[in-house]
Amino acid sequence: MSRFPRALLAAATVGITALSLTACGEDSGSGGTGTDCESDGLKIGTILPQTGSLAFLGPPEFAGVDLAIQEINESGGVLGCDATVIHQDSGDTTSEIASQSADALVRQGVHTVIGAASSSVSLSFIDKLYQEGIVQISPANTSPEFTTYANGDYYFRTAPSDVLQGRVLADTIIADGHKDIIILALQDSYGTGLADAVEANFTEFGGTVIDKIVYDPSATEFSAEVGKVADSGADAVVLITFNEIVNLAPALAEENMSAQDLGWYLVDGNLSNYGDQFPAGFMEGAKGTYPGADTAGIQERLLEVDPELVDFTYGPESYDATVLAALAAIQGGKVDSETIKDNLVDVSREGTKCNGFTECAELLADGEDIDYDGYSGPIEFSPEGDVTAATIGIFQYQADNTFVNLEYRFGDLEG
């Protein structure tokens, strides 16, 4: 059985082919002004998960991009032409799908790529986009590695580095009274980076990390790892996983280390509404964090794009990434990737604050310098393409295996 049947169905439906929401040059009444728009319009590509261990994140991310494209075109497009989007699959680190998708988007002449969700997957094609001079904006990469990445000139992200999530998660665990923890993390740049951030902060806050176990993300059997947790004497476990949690969590529970027996703390890679995928009450009491502000302001709009959405994680960040690319092109007066790169930082900070594409595009048309604030937060890009401040949500699971928000914490990543 697939992990998220509705989510995977939505991803397959929305993401398998190129999508042109009112192609430019047609008499659409939404910005198409002539035949030149077919070649001169802003072309967005996505490399987001339709398959693989992060497929559950695909539907809200695709919906966020499509919502942005819809609003852009309904508001007159970019420099008189409608924007188009071409969706491609990212798969995961067990396949070459993402690299093949990058090749396909390069051939089709996209100006900006939105993706990937996984940090390790983005690292598999970031150099290729750098060599082609194509802007990449990830809505979900959180590995600290990108901040100092050598070929990162064209790379931006609307999700914050895990430096912040590690701090908030560690503080939450300490506040809950836990003193001795063990960390289980998948072996990739996301898993090890976040594990290091949690460890550094938890230790700084006075706690002890008994062990940090890094496992093969392709594993399906976790008896060795579960045995180490059982022998550790830890009073809480941090689970930094992707889809592997559907096998790892039951293995812990079978050894009397359920969410009720031992403190469970999840992260953005596995925080999802599991519902009847687990027995009633299975996840009750577990907590977790993921980057992003309250999505209430955009949920209804995302559901209009994809009524089957069950999660909204990184949907706002995907919308913001797409809108920022369009606004950067408008400010620079061209839709090419170099212009977008050169203007992304400027449209994100130190101007007249505005929200959403329509309001910000109107200010640009009036000659205003803008400071875009998105659904996911203020998004003030650093010169390295990082957001400099962000919100981390803290959540707790209920008896029906779905999570509810406890609080949101805003933090600064600079200084």
Side-chain angles (χ1 to χ4, degrees), residues 42 77-79 323-336 338-352 354 357 360-372:
L42 176 65
V78 177
L79 302 175
V323 166
L324 280 161
L327 294 172
I330 293 172
Q331 176 166 292
K334 295 180 181 179
V335 298
D336 64 278
E338 199 71 26
T339 298
I340 293 170
K341 173 181 74 73
D342 291 344
N343 286 275
L344 271 170
V345 173
D346 287 344
V347 298
S348 74
R349 61 191 307 160
E350 298 175 358
T352 302
C354 55
F357 175 79
C360 295
E362 289 175 353
L363 289 173
L364 287 175
D366 292 337
E368 292 272 357
D369 181 25
I370 65 168
D371 178 354
Y372 176 81

Side-chain angles (χ1 to χ4, degrees), residues 23-77:
C24 285
E26 297 178 359
D27 185 17
S28 64
S30 62
T33 59
T35 56
D36 286 345
C37 283
E38 185 174 348
S39 59
D40 295 341
L42 176 65
K43 188 178 291 187
I44 299 289
T46 70
I47 303 179
L48 295 168
Q50 298 170 10
T51 61
S53 57
L54 278 182
F56 76 100
L57 288 179
E61 291 173 338
F62 286 119
V65 173
D66 289 343
L67 175 61
I69 295 294
Q70 177 180 300
E71 182 179 341
I72 289 166
N73 292 341
E74 288 176 349
S75 301

